[in-house]
Amino acid sequence: MTAYDPENIFAKILRKEIPSFRVYEDDETYCFMDIMPRSDGHCLVIPKTPCRNILDATPAQLAACMATVSKVANAAKAAFNADGITLQQFSEVAGGQEVFHLHFHIHPRHEGVSLRPPGTMGDMDVIKSNAEAIRAKIDQ
Ligand code: 5GP
């Protein structure tokens, strides 16, 4: 398996070398908004320690991420009055992965509304206010 690259964009976000809209963090995980949102409230949960994806993550990294996914998913569902949540995880190029630091996509979903296609930059003011809406529903 290819080695973890500490210059990947999410590692830079963790080091605060590039900005992000924070939703939640604890000692082990960080949650922030996706800047090309495929749903309103699309956010990402990552471990603070390095791993590429589901194939090299430790049980402890996965457990920490899932605890945060659960917390944020419930908050996002409430914030957007959603009917459900889609959780996505892509591993390696063949699996659809583009950024090689383990991440879980959280999408609030409404019945009959499809995910938007990937790759379109969102409106930063909207993304910022969506982050605030989710944060407001998390009891920390
Ligand atoms: P993947 O296909 O690797 O699961 O998804 C990577 C995700 O990272 C995509 O949804 C993309 O929109 C998001 N992304 C790429 N670059 C940045 C960035 O600089 N900041 C943030 N917040 N998200 C990013």
Side-chain angles (χ1 to χ4, degrees):
M1 186 169 179
T2 312
Y4 179 81
D5 175 8
E7 295 310 313
N8 76 75
I9 200 114
F10 294 170
K12 291 180 180 178
I13 284 175
L14 281 171
R15 294 196 296 267
K16 301 201 187 318
E17 292 168 11
I18 62 170
S20 63
F21 295 110
R22 186 177 70 89
V23 174
Y24 172 80
E25 72 181 301
D26 57 22
D27 288 346
E28 282 106 31
T29 64
Y30 185 63
C31 178
F32 58 105
M33 302 305 286
D34 197 300
I35 51 167
M36 291 177 257
R38 299 189 59 195
S39 59
D40 296 337
H42 181 180
C43 58
L44 303 166
V45 173
I46 65 175
K48 288 186 172 176
T49 49
C51 62
R52 271 173 79 80
N53 54 44
I54 201 88
L55 300 170
D56 64 340
T58 65
Q61 285 172 315
L62 295 171
C65 285
M66 282 305 108
T68 296
V69 164
S70 167
K71 187 177 290 238
V72 174
N74 280 290
K77 182 172 179 293
F80 292 91
N81 198 22
D83 300 311
I85 293 289
T86 295
L87 180 64
Q88 291 179 310
Q89 200 289 313
F90 305 119
S91 287
E92 296 301 325
V93 173
Q97 186 173 15
E98 293 182 350
V99 178
F100 295 93
H101 181 111
L102 174 67
H103 54 280
F104 295 88
H105 299 254
I106 296 174
H107 298 283
R109 301 298 302 273
H110 296 88
E111 278 176 29
V113 179
S114 299
L115 291 180
R116 297 187 284 270
T120 301
M121 199 62 82
D123 178 316
M124 293 304 142
D125 290 337
V126 172
I127 292 174
K128 181 170 186 249
S129 92
N130 286 348
E132 284 161 6
I134 301 171
R135 265 206 316 271
K137 296 290 183 187
I138 298 178
D139 36 281
Q140 331 199 27

